[in-house]
Amino acid sequence: MKIAITGASGFVGTALTRLLLDGGHVVTGLGTSGSHPLQSAANFTWICADTTLSGAWQAAVGQADAVINLAGRTILKRWSQAYKAQIVDSRILTTRNVVSAMKGKDKVLISTSAVGYYGSRGDQPLAEESTPGTDFLARLSVDWEEAARVAEKQGVRVAIMRFGVVLGSGGGALAQMLPVFRMFAGGPLGSGRQWFSWIHMADLLAAIQFLLDRKDAHGPYNFCAPGVVRQKNFARALGAALGRPAVVPAPSLALRLMMGEAAGVLLASQRVRPDRLIADGFSFRFAEVDSALADLVG
């Protein structure tokens, strides 16, 4: 297949590019970075472009059989009003530009969203049909998904990936946690009672391939492992994988002083279930957090 990936130089995008190239696909990567780690690979083209703006880059999207939309500024930093606008624009404007370049019943758009769609819901189990929350990230996720689903009116098959926290080697959330735990300073965030929805990078990539291959896959899918855990149990499992204690908490007040409104991402409780992936026949390689962390850091 000819596949275009927005946000292709990010943590997930780089891993996905490698997987698809290894699978024999022709890949075009799009993003704002001046270069890409795999730009010298066969069957790969890197296009440096601001995807929030329409432009010549959209031709590559229009020519692709499949588009995987991963673009978006990180949410794991302090939010000013200006940065919140960048968070929104990087997702909504990019998605609108991608959709405007896509037409045809044989095309597929696989677009990112997040479990932030649900807001913070305590102990309530959350499946794909659960209602959205009302906070900033929930409203953003609703708008983001609606922008992607406009492509359905143009005959495009659209599947939505609601990401939990992606655990992988060499980047992402785990790369930020490991130094703290290795210095014997790791522990639960806030009360530690909040539910923590996560997914191993290997399963995330396999699930994307699953949605590409399954021609009837459409609508939202929770990209989270079945073994959702409370945050204190995740911290304990990470400490065990590293042979370190996990008893130094990061109090909610300290997190809010450090990160402001963005601290809500770390303190939200989202007990998310991957019901639709499982119902459609996807099998998780790393369903439980102990085996996932043992694989990544053990």
Side-chain angles (χ1 to χ4, degrees):
M1 299 176 70
K2 291 182 180 179
I3 301 175
I5 306 173
T6 64
S9 62
F11 178 49
V12 173
T14 300
L16 178 62
T17 299
R18 184 176 290 109
L19 175 80
L20 294 174
L21 290 173
D22 289 347
H25 300 288
V26 177
V27 179
T28 298
L30 299 144
T32 56
S33 296
S35 61
H36 190 282
L38 301 174
Q39 66 183 40
S40 62
N43 295 322
F44 180 65
T45 301
W46 174 247
I47 298 175
C48 176
D50 182 352
T51 53
T52 67
L53 303 174
S54 58
W57 64 270
Q58 289 171 289
V61 170
Q63 294 162 8
D65 302 308
V67 180
I68 302 168
N69 182 28
L70 300 172
R73 292 293 189 95
T74 181
I75 59 173
L76 292 177
K77 62 176 285 184
R78 192 176 184 91
W79 302 342
S80 63
Q81 286 303 116
Y83 190 69
K84 286 173 77 171
Q86 292 179 39
I87 290 173
V88 173
D89 289 350
S90 63
R91 289 161 172 79
I92 305 300
L93 297 183
T94 291
T95 302
R96 288 175 181 168
N97 288 331
V98 165
V99 168
S100 71
M102 296 187 74
K103 289 181 177 65
K105 62 183 178 61
D106 295 326
K107 308 274 186 171
V108 56
L109 169 61
I110 300 178
S111 194
T112 311
S113 182
V115 296
Y117 174 93
Y118 303 107
S120 187
R121 305 283 277 272
D123 291 338
Q124 179 184 351
L126 299 167
E128 286 86 354
E129 67 272 14
S130 298
T131 57
T134 58
D135 61 19
F136 169 70
L137 288 181
R139 296 193 307 272
L140 170 60
S141 297
V142 170
D143 292 344
W144 196 5
E145 294 184 15
E146 288 179 352
R149 297 192 75 160
V150 170
E152 294 174 337
K153 300 175 183 177
Q154 296 157 202
V156 176
R157 175 170 67 89
V158 179
I160 305 292
M161 308 176 288
R162 292 177 182 160
F163 282 8
V165 176
V166 181
L167 302 180
S169 300
L174 200 57
Q176 298 181 46
M177 297 178 196
L178 287 176
V180 178
F181 276 79
R182 284 180 171 140
M183 291 188 296
F184 295 85
L189 303 178
S191 71
R193 288 190 50 78
Q194 67 271 32
W195 290 96
F196 181 81
S197 294
W198 59 275
I199 187 169
H200 190 294
M201 178 71 86
D203 283 327
L204 181 144
L205 298 178
I208 293 175
Q209 185 69 64
F210 181 82
L211 294 185
L212 279 174
D213 294 342
R214 190 178 175 108
K215 303 305 182 186
D216 61 344
H218 67 280
Y221 287 83
N222 288 333
F223 269 46
C224 305
V228 58
V229 292
R230 294 191 189 273
Q231 216 287 322
K232 63 182 179 182
N233 293 329
F234 175 82
R236 189 177 299 130
L238 180 54
L242 291 168
R244 300 287 194 275
V247 295
V248 182
S252 299
L253 179 59
L255 289 172
R256 294 191 188 281
L257 287 172
M258 180 174 63
M259 296 186 67
E261 187 181 355
V265 178
L266 304 175
L267 299 172
S269 183
Q270 290 148 343
R271 191 180 184 181
V272 181
R273 307 182 315 211
D275 286 4
R276 290 198 67 210
L277 277 175
I278 292 172
D280 282 358
F282 180 76
S283 179
F284 283 84
R285 182 178 168 195
F286 298 99
E288 303 298 332
V289 73
D290 291 336
S291 62
L293 291 173
D295 177 71
L296 292 168
V297 303

